[in-house]
Amino acid sequence: MKRSSEALGVPESGAVAGIVGSASPGKEQSVTSLDRWAIGRVAAGMGMPPVNLRLWDGTMPYTHPEPCGTIIFNDRKALWRVIVQPELGLGDGFSVGRIDVDGDLMEILTRCYSAVEANSTKAFKRGLLGRLPEADLNTLTGSRKHIAHHYDLGNEFYKLWLDQQMVYTCAYYETPSATLEQAQVAKMDHVARKLQLREGMQVIEAGCGWGSLALHMARRYGVRVRAFNISKEQLTYARERAAQEQLTEQVEFIEDDYRNIQGSCDAFVSVGMLEHVGLDNFRSLGEVIERTLAPHGTALVHSVGRNRPTPVNAWLEKRIFPGSYPPSLSEMMTIFEPSNLSVLDVENLRMHYAATLTEWLRRFDGNVDAIRRTHDEYFIRAWRLYLAGCAAAFKSGSIQLFQVLVAPPRNNRLALTRQHLYTENPAAAWGSGQ
Amino acid sequence: MKRSSEALGVPESGAVAGIVGSASPGKEQSVTSLDRWAIGRVAAGMGMPPVNLRLWDGTMPYTHPEPCGTIIFNDRKALWRVIVQPELGLGDGFSVGRIDVDGDLMEILTRCYSAVEANSTKAFKRGLLGRLPEADLNTLTGSRKHIAHHYDLGNEFYKLWLDQQMVYTCAYYETPSATLEQAQVAKMDHVARKLQLREGMQVIEAGCGWGSLALHMARRYGVRVRAFNISKEQLTYARERAAQEQLTEQVEFIEDDYRNIQGSCDAFVSVGMLEHVGLDNFRSLGEVIERTLAPHGTALVHSVGRNRPTPVNAWLEKRIFPGSYPPSLSEMMTIFEPSNLSVLDVENLRMHYAATLTEWLRRFDGNVDAIRRTHDEYFIRAWRLYLAGCAAAFKSGSIQLFQVLVAPPRNNRLALTRQHLYTENPAAAWGSGQ
C-alpha cells in the first residue's frame, strides 16, 4: 500500500498535478499584467535570486543575467499562493507539481537561500522563512505523535538512502573524499572522543534513532548504554541489531521519553534529538542532564541550530518535522546555564551536514524507483525538496549544526587540550584501557 | 614614590594594620559569645569550608577535621565587616592585614571557593560573590579611567611577574610541563591558527595590551595589524617594541577605544578585553566586528566568563578591575546573534588560566622585595589575594575562560575540521604561504 499524501498533510487532496510535462493544468490560463506584477514581487521578495521565473504560458517576466536554473509556475493558483503565504506556497506548490524547477534542485535552492539571506525584503523573508514555534507543542503525547509522523515511515524506506548503519544525523567528514559510511563512523568516534569514553562507563543516550551510536559506543569503547527513544519502528530495529551483535547485555533500548530518564551515568549524549524538544522543554532537558550526570561526567548535545533565534521553517515544520525547532546558541544555553553546567566545547559542523544531505539526496534519487513502489509522487517531491532544501540552507549558512560539550562545574577530570580528538589512538591520550 | 593605598581605594586610610605578627591590634579585645556566634555564621555562609577559623585571642570557634589551613581574624571589626558585607569584608580585611591566613593562600582559597559553590547559603553567597554590574559604567570616558586604574600601574611592575613577552592573559599549556613563556607563545599560535592567518592579511586587534600578540602575528604569520588600546603606558611600551623589531610598517598601535574602530579586516581578534566592555556595550562590539570584518573573515573573542549570568565579584570589581564583568555564554551571544555572526568554535580554557595565575603568583612572590620598593604592603596583599583568588576560582570551576570563534554567515572559506590546530605545520593545512 502506498503512503497516502493525506498522511503528510497534502494541502489539496488528490492534487498531485502536472509532474512537469505536457499535461500542465494551467496551460489554458492567459497571463495577465497582474500575474507579471506578482512575479516581480516574488523576485524582490526572494532578494533578486540568480534564476529565471517562468509562467505557465512559457513567458519569463523575471530573468537573471546568469541564471543557475528556472523556477516554473504551472498555474496562477501556485503563483498567488506564494504571494499570500510564501514558504508554504513554495513548498506545497513544488510538492504537488504546481511549481517545478528546470536545473539542479539543490543548486537552485542554495543560490536562492543565499539571495534571500542577503537581500530579501523583511516581510517576505519572514513569510518565507517561517513562523515562531507554538508553545507547549511537545507534550509527552504531542512528542510521540510528532516523532511517529517522521521516524515511523518505515525502516525499509530509510534503508534505501541512509548509510549501512542507518545513522540519520550529520556525519563528520575527516576529509572531503570520505564516504558517507566512513563519515558516519568518524562522527560516532568524534562524539565518543569528546566524551572521553572509557571501558566500563555508564552512558545514557537520549533519542537513539536506529541504535547505531549506542551499539558503536558499546562495541568500540566497552561502555554500557541505556538508550531512549519514542519511535517504535526505530526501537524494534535497534533491538534486533543488539541481539544480532550479542550486545544486549551492554546496550538496553528503552521506549520512553527523555523527560522520564532516571538513574545516573558517566556520560550523557543526545545526537539529533534537541530539534524535536522545543524551547519550552529545554529547561527539562537540562534538569535531566544535571540529575543523571556524575560529578566527573560530561554530556554532549548535537543539534541543528541557528545563528540567532529565528522562526522555524514553516513548510518543514508542517510537512516534514512537526514540532521541530532548531535553536540558536543563546537558546541552547537555557538548557545548561540554569543547571550551572559548564560549556567546554562548541563545534559548528554545518558544512558536514551539507555534505551528508547531498549524499542522502544522491542515494534517494538513485533509489527513487524502489521508493515509488511504496510512496506516492507527492511524498517523493516533498522529500526531495526537504533534503535539497536543508543541504542548501546549510551551504548558504542559514542553518548550523552545533555539537556542545558540557560538564558539571567542578569536574576537573578533563583533557587539558582537544588534541586527543585528532590523534590516531585517542584513548591513549586520556589513559583508557579501551 | 610608593603607590599609595589611596589610589587603590583603601577602605581605611593608613590602616595597613598588623601584617601578621606581634603587633596585632585586636589582641586586647576579649572574645564574646556574640563573636563566636558570628564565626558560626561565617562558616555556614562559606559552606562549612575545610579550614579552621581563629579569633584574635587564639581560640578557634570553628574547626574542620581536615583543615587545609587557618583563617585568622585579627580583630572584631574585621569579623563583623564580613558578616555585614561578606565579599568586600574578606578582601579588604585581608588587604589591610586585619584578616590573615596560616597555610597556602591559593590552596585555602580554592577549597573555600569549592565549598561556597557547593554548600553556601544563598544570601551569604550573593554577598560573597558580588553584585550586578552598574549600567553605563563603561562610557568612553569611564573606560579610560577604569583601564588606567589597572593597566597603567607601571610597566616595570608587570615585568616583575609576567612572562618575557608581557602577555597578561590566559596562556595555553600544550602540556602540563610547559613553561609560562612557552605557554604564552602557544596561546598566540593557537589564536592565530583558529583565525587561519595567512601572509598579507589585514588584522584588527581590539585591546592589545603591551602588543605581544600583534607583534607575534606580524612576525610569524606575515600579517598587517592595526592594534587598539586606551592604556597609555601599554601603548608606549608596545610602540618601542615595534620599533626595536623593525615592525612599524606591519603593526600600527593606535590609542583609541574599540568603539571607534573603522576600516576593514580579514581577521578580528580581541584577547582579554571583553571583561572590561560591560554588558551594555556588547551590542556595540558586535557592530564593530560586523562592520569591519570581510565576508570571508573570522573573528575571535577571548574572555573570562561564567557558567551563567552571575554578579561580578564585588571586591575584584572595586579594588582591582573597576568596570569589569565576565559574561556567561548566553550573554556573549548578545555580541554575535544580533549581527547574525555564526559561531564556529567555543573552547573553555579555565584550567589553563588556573595554571597561568599560579605561575604569575609564584613569580610575584619571588620578586616581592623588588615590588615592595615601589608599592606598599596593602597593594601587595591585595594583589596576592587577586592572583590567588582568581586561580582558585578557575580551579573550582566558578569562573571560565572562553575563546569564541565566529564568522559572517555566508563564509564558506573555512577549515573542514579543527585538525589544523593540532598539527606541527598548520599553515600547510589551510594552504598558507606563511
Coordinates of all heavy atoms in Angstrom, one line a residue, chain A residues 40-49 83 86 115-129:
Chain A
G40 N 7.2 39.9 -10.2 CA 8.1 40.9 -9.7 C 8.2 40.9 -8.2 O 9.3 41.1 -7.6
R41 N 7.1 40.8 -7.6 CA 7.0 40.7 -6.1 C 7.8 39.5 -5.6 O 8.5 39.6 -4.6 CB 5.6 40.7 -5.6 CG 4.8 41.9 -5.9 CD 4.9 43.0 -4.8 NE 4.5 42.4 -3.5 CZ 4.7 43.0 -2.4 NH1 5.4 44.1 -2.3 NH2 4.2 42.5 -1.3
V42 N 7.5 38.4 -6.2 CA 8.2 37.2 -5.8 C 9.7 37.3 -5.9 O 10.5 37.0 -5.0 CB 7.7 35.9 -6.6 CG1 8.6 34.7 -6.3 CG2 6.2 35.7 -6.2
A43 N 10.2 37.9 -7.0 CA 11.6 38.0 -7.3 C 12.2 39.0 -6.2 O 13.3 38.7 -5.7 CB 11.9 38.6 -8.7
A44 N 11.5 40.1 -6.0 CA 12.0 41.1 -5.0 C 12.0 40.4 -3.6 O 13.0 40.6 -2.8 CB 11.1 42.3 -5.0
G45 N 11.0 39.7 -3.3 CA 10.9 39.0 -2.0 C 12.0 38.0 -1.8 O 12.5 37.8 -0.7
M46 N 12.4 37.4 -2.9 CA 13.5 36.4 -2.8 C 14.9 37.0 -2.9 O 15.9 36.3 -3.1 CB 13.3 35.3 -3.9 CG 12.1 34.4 -3.6 SD 11.7 33.3 -5.0 CE 13.1 32.1 -4.8
G47 N 14.9 38.3 -2.9 CA 16.2 39.0 -3.0 C 16.9 39.0 -4.4 O 18.1 38.9 -4.5
M48 N 16.0 39.0 -5.4 CA 16.5 39.0 -6.8 C 17.5 37.8 -7.0 O 18.7 38.0 -7.3 CB 17.2 40.4 -7.2 CG 16.3 41.6 -6.8 SD 14.6 41.5 -7.4 CE 14.7 42.3 -9.0
P49 N 17.0 36.6 -6.9 CA 17.9 35.5 -7.0 C 18.4 35.2 -8.4 O 17.7 35.6 -9.4 CB 17.0 34.3 -6.5 CG 15.6 34.7 -6.9 CD 15.6 36.2 -6.8
I83 N 2.5 34.4 -3.1 CA 2.4 35.8 -2.6 C 1.8 35.9 -1.2 O 2.2 36.6 -0.3 CB 1.5 36.6 -3.6 CG1 2.2 36.7 -5.0 CG2 1.2 38.0 -3.1 CD1 3.4 37.7 -5.0
P86 N 4.3 32.8 1.5 CA 5.5 32.4 0.7 C 6.0 31.0 0.9 O 6.1 30.3 0.0 CB 6.5 33.5 1.1 CG 5.7 34.7 1.5 CD 4.4 34.1 2.1
A115 N 20.5 34.4 -1.7 CA 19.9 35.7 -2.1 C 18.9 36.1 -1.0 O 18.9 37.3 -0.7 CB 19.2 35.5 -3.4
V116 N 18.1 35.2 -0.5 CA 17.1 35.6 0.5 C 17.8 36.1 1.7 O 17.5 37.2 2.3 CB 16.2 34.4 0.9 CG1 15.4 34.7 2.2 CG2 15.3 34.0 -0.3
E117 N 18.9 35.4 2.2 CA 19.6 35.8 3.4 C 20.2 37.2 3.2 O 20.3 38.0 4.1 CB 20.7 34.7 3.7 CG 20.2 33.5 4.3 CD 19.7 33.6 5.7 OE1 20.3 34.4 6.5 OE2 18.8 32.9 6.1
A118 N 20.7 37.4 2.0 CA 21.5 38.7 1.7 C 20.5 39.8 1.4 O 20.8 41.0 1.9 CB 22.5 38.5 0.6
N119 N 19.5 39.6 0.6 CA 18.8 40.8 0.1 C 17.3 40.8 0.3 O 16.6 41.8 -0.1 CB 19.0 40.8 -1.5 CG 20.4 40.6 -1.9 OD1 21.3 41.2 -1.2 ND2 20.7 39.7 -2.8
S120 N 16.7 39.8 0.8 CA 15.2 39.7 0.8 C 14.6 40.9 1.6 O 15.1 41.4 2.5 CB 14.7 38.4 1.4 OG 13.3 38.4 1.5
T121 N 13.4 41.3 1.1 CA 12.6 42.2 1.9 C 12.2 41.5 3.2 O 12.0 40.3 3.2 CB 11.4 42.7 1.2 OG1 10.6 41.5 0.9 CG2 11.7 43.4 -0.1
K122 N 12.1 42.3 4.3 CA 11.9 41.7 5.6 C 10.6 41.0 5.7 O 10.5 39.8 6.2 CB 12.0 42.8 6.6 CG 12.6 42.3 7.9 CD 13.0 43.5 8.8 CE 13.9 43.0 9.9 NZ 14.4 44.1 10.7
A123 N 9.5 41.6 5.1 CA 8.2 41.0 5.3 C 8.1 39.6 4.6 O 7.7 38.6 5.1 CB 7.1 41.9 4.7
F124 N 8.7 39.6 3.3 CA 8.7 38.3 2.6 C 9.5 37.3 3.2 O 9.2 36.1 3.3 CB 9.2 38.6 1.2 CG 8.8 37.6 0.2 CD1 7.7 37.6 -0.6 CD2 9.7 36.5 0.0 CE1 7.4 36.6 -1.5 CE2 9.4 35.5 -1.0 CZ 8.2 35.6 -1.7
K125 N 10.7 37.7 3.7 CA 11.6 36.8 4.4 C 10.9 36.2 5.6 O 11.1 35.0 5.8 CB 12.8 37.6 4.8 CG 14.0 36.7 5.3 CD 15.2 37.6 5.5 CE 16.4 36.9 6.1 NZ 17.5 37.8 6.2
R126 N 10.2 37.0 6.3 CA 9.5 36.5 7.5 C 8.5 35.4 7.1 O 8.5 34.3 7.6 CB 8.8 37.6 8.3 CG 8.4 37.2 9.7 CD 8.2 38.4 10.6 NE 7.4 39.4 9.9 CZ 7.7 40.7 9.8 NH1 8.8 41.1 10.4 NH2 7.0 41.5 9.1
G127 N 7.8 35.7 6.0 CA 6.9 34.7 5.4 C 7.6 33.5 4.9 O 7.1 32.4 5.1
L128 N 8.7 33.7 4.2 CA 9.4 32.7 3.6 C 10.1 31.7 4.6 O 10.1 30.5 4.4 CB 10.4 33.3 2.6 CG 11.1 32.3 1.6 CD1 10.1 31.8 0.6 CD2 12.2 33.0 0.9
L129 N 10.6 32.4 5.6 CA 11.5 31.6 6.5 C 10.7 30.9 7.6 O 11.2 30.0 8.2 CB 12.6 32.4 7.0 CG 13.6 32.8 6.0 CD1 14.7 33.6 6.6 CD2 14.2 31.6 5.3

